Amino acid sequence: MTSLKSPDEPRFSVHYRVTVNGSSDIENLARDITIEQTAEAPIDCIPDRLFREGIIGRVESIIAVEGEAYAHDVVISYRCDLTGYTVPQLLNVVYGNISLKNNIKVIDLDFPGAFLDRFSGPSHGIDGIRKMLGVFGRPLACMPLKPMGLSIAELSSMAGALARGGVDLIKDDHGIGNQRFHPFRERVSHCQEAVYKENARSGRATMYCPMVSGGFDEIEDQVRHAVKEGVRGILIAPMLVGLDTVRYISTTYGIIIIGHPSLTGTFFSNQEHGMTPAVLLGTLFRLIGADISIFPGAGGRFFFTKKECGDLSRALLAPLGSIKRSFPCPAGGLSIEKMGDLAPEYGVETVFLIGGSLLRQSRDVSGSTELFMDRIRSLYAP
Amino acid sequence: MTSLKSPDEPRFSVHYRVTVNGSSDIENLARDITIEQTAEAPIDCIPDRLFREGIIGRVESIIAVEGEAYAHDVVISYRCDLTGYTVPQLLNVVYGNISLKNNIKVIDLDFPGAFLDRFSGPSHGIDGIRKMLGVFGRPLACMPLKPMGLSIAELSSMAGALARGGVDLIKDDHGIGNQRFHPFRERVSHCQEAVYKENARSGRATMYCPMVSGGFDEIEDQVRHAVKEGVRGILIAPMLVGLDTVRYISTTYGIIIIGHPSLTGTFFSNQEHGMTPAVLLGTLFRLIGADISIFPGAGGRFFFTKKECGDLSRALLAPLGSIKRSFPCPAGGLSIEKMGDLAPEYGVETVFLIGGSLLRQSRDVSGSTELFMDRIRSLYAP
């Protein structure tokens, strides 16, 4: 008979912001979470042993949030081995069932080293990417291939033009998948070749990162094809393909992972429920291997606040066991004009992603790219 | 050079409920969605050709919602082949980037036959499951193995007791994964054996459906092990493992899929943003192969309304091309006492899932199960 024992098993903590509404009291709400996320049974039906052995979540602290009438910060710890050290089961324990309740927001995650050691995080991280590109002392520049629906010849010609303009990273628009009018394999081969040729001429190391969004049984073939063609990084949306799919690809192929936030928005749209961008696009995406995390910059056409963007950047850059640091990448409506405002907020360890506004600036893609690169260099000149 | 052409390519429609706030007008908001979800570029930078060829989303209709000052039903159509007929890219087109905006709720999906023909849906559906169980004319009964943390001997003994009591379906609690204190392979073998023995005695066909939540590189091994042991259905949470992972498993192994709503809650917690339960847990989960879709029944410890539950049930049962019907399975705080109220709401094509309240009723698991089965039979006696 398997023994549970191990009451000393290491624990990780989840910081929940719990807003009390109506007649419930915070102590009961906190206790409900500890049970909902573990035994999920009426408290009087749970064997005492499970409490003694630490299987049930534990309320570590409850602190009323200053200046708010109903909000409390509730820290709950769980035994690390409840997650089986897998990403799906980690998500399950942190927020699976209570996502279906109300007024519970995950605002921080606190993992012990023993937990973090089971995950690899980004294969390259900030320092690795800088070495691969040979770019130091300034933010990186990223530009998209777009729009969806161009022919492969048009897309690869644009890739060449962006590389000629000197951009560091070129990524597919996240909607460019394996559609029959620009199928993945042919498109990636041509775009990568176009960038490769420009690099051979310029001596630069511009990287082309195709969007990978294939189904369960085709995604690995897509990655293999890209790697065979010389691709060293991909764009991938963890919420579309499954978070653990990203961890697997990062760990197995050791390529740069640019995480895209597609389909994550409902976690952020309710201030009192969900997760903060810092938790999902920051700590969790970094844990599963995102070397770069794209998010909607404040003041663009999405709704993240400056504070949310700042917290998210810090989550990507802060110490996290031996896991490498990831680049924050604000996007979604940035322009060359706005970069002056952004520079002091983000500092050097940032990837600036500009797309549509540069397309608008000029039909001369290489010329626009050069403008973008000049602007970055001038903002961060020593 | 690849040609786009095909302006006659079939299109599917998404019904968005868009709430206008502030100074924006509904025509602009609708048009923004058509572009954000496809070309994602300033409108004046998009080649005319992409509009002519139907690559850009099209506003089909905008209707003000009666009795609401700011809400509109906006129907937008997209070319089917934008999705590449893959689940990740379908999610991307329907709601990827606009999930990061506000006040846009997906309330319906309308697929043409040419699209639906590319998906298999449930392997068995309602009729197939009834034949496998030999149960007709009443709802099915499902009970969980719980709580997480029991030994394998305790769990398999409970599985045997539930089967002895005559329940139709036994599922793991969704938190029971591949933890070292009840590892997947050993646990599934023992629980399946216990149920098999009882079936051999009773002549019934009670099915044990283990929770499958392994990572990308272990989940298929888990399914293979379960199938080898005689398991004919699994519990799986699409949002934890990736929606396309579920489609792949359903299509490849032809087993019954019980869909669990873990981590889906943020799609529902904001009335003006996200998706309705009918869209996500109904149409989409059915499309990816859920034979049974578990959801929080109204009046339990979660917050779904009666209307949401009714709409969700209808989405699982309504015609959907040649895709089979799925069982709605209300759960999350049901009890034998409440069943009388639920019966008229759900009708015969339902799975009732009762867990905690039966555990509380008695330590005699088989006896409680018999009570549950008697209650179902009496409520639906001809």
Side-chain angles (χ1 to χ4, degrees), chain A residues 183-358:
Chain A
F184 182 85
R185 296 171 74 94
E186 192 185 343
R187 195 185 74 247
V188 169
S189 300
H190 280 78
C191 291
Q192 173 66 17
E193 193 192 357
V195 173
Y196 181 81
K197 276 185 187 164
E198 292 299 333
N199 284 347
R201 210 168 296 170
S202 68
R204 279 190 293 259
T206 296
M207 283 194 246
Y208 165 56
C209 302
M211 174 71 178
V212 174
S213 58
F216 182 87
D217 44 347
E218 58 186 1
I219 197 165
E220 196 167 3
D221 281 345
Q222 292 182 347
V223 172
R224 282 199 194 111
H225 174 76
V227 168
K228 183 175 67 64
E229 295 288 302
V231 160
R232 294 189 293 168
I234 60 169
L235 176 69
I236 191 163
M239 202 56 77
L240 296 181
V241 299
L243 272 72
D244 198 66
T245 306
V246 179
R247 177 206 57 80
Y248 172 78
I249 290 172
S250 169
T251 308
T252 307
Y253 295 95
I255 51 179
I256 293 172
I257 299 287
I258 307 181
H260 192 283
S262 181
L263 202 67
T264 62
T266 63
F267 283 88
F268 319 130
S269 71
N270 181 334
Q271 284 303 314
E272 294 175 352
H273 196 65
M275 298 185 184
T276 59
V279 166
L280 183 55
L281 307 182
T283 307
L284 287 173
F285 275 24
R286 186 175 166 197
L287 193 70
I288 63 172
D291 297 89
I292 299 173
S293 185
I294 295 179
F295 59 91
R301 61 183 198 280
F302 300 93
F303 64 78
F304 278 23
T305 63
K306 269 194 187 184
K307 180 178 183 310
E308 284 173 319
C309 295
D311 289 347
L312 167 45
S313 296
R314 278 184 289 279
L316 294 166
L317 297 168
L320 187 69
S322 56
I323 288 179
K324 296 186 179 74
R325 295 181 307 159
S326 310
F327 274 113
C329 177
L334 299 191
S335 64
I336 289 191
E337 294 70 33
K338 287 182 190 161
M339 285 174 60
D341 296 339
L342 284 178
E345 275 173 53
Y346 286 100
V348 170
E349 303 303 11
T350 305
V351 177
F352 283 124
L353 170 55
I354 301 195
S357 71
L358 279 176

Side-chain angles (χ1 to χ4, degrees), chain B residues 153-183:
Chain B
E154 289 167 315
L155 288 169
S156 58
S157 153
M158 185 184 281
L162 290 166
R164 206 152 52 242
V167 77
D168 304 309
L169 300 162
I170 300 166
K171 70 160 196 62
D172 285 340
D173 234 10
H174 76 289
I176 297 183
N178 190 26
Q179 295 93 347
R180 65 182 179 79
F181 42 83
H182 39 45

Side-chain angles (χ1 to χ4, degrees), chain B residues 273-296:
Chain B
H273 196 65
M275 298 185 183
T276 60
V279 166
L280 183 54
L281 307 182
T283 307
L284 287 173
F285 275 23
R286 187 176 167 197
L287 192 72
I288 62 172
D291 297 89
I292 299 172
S293 184
I294 295 180
F295 58 90

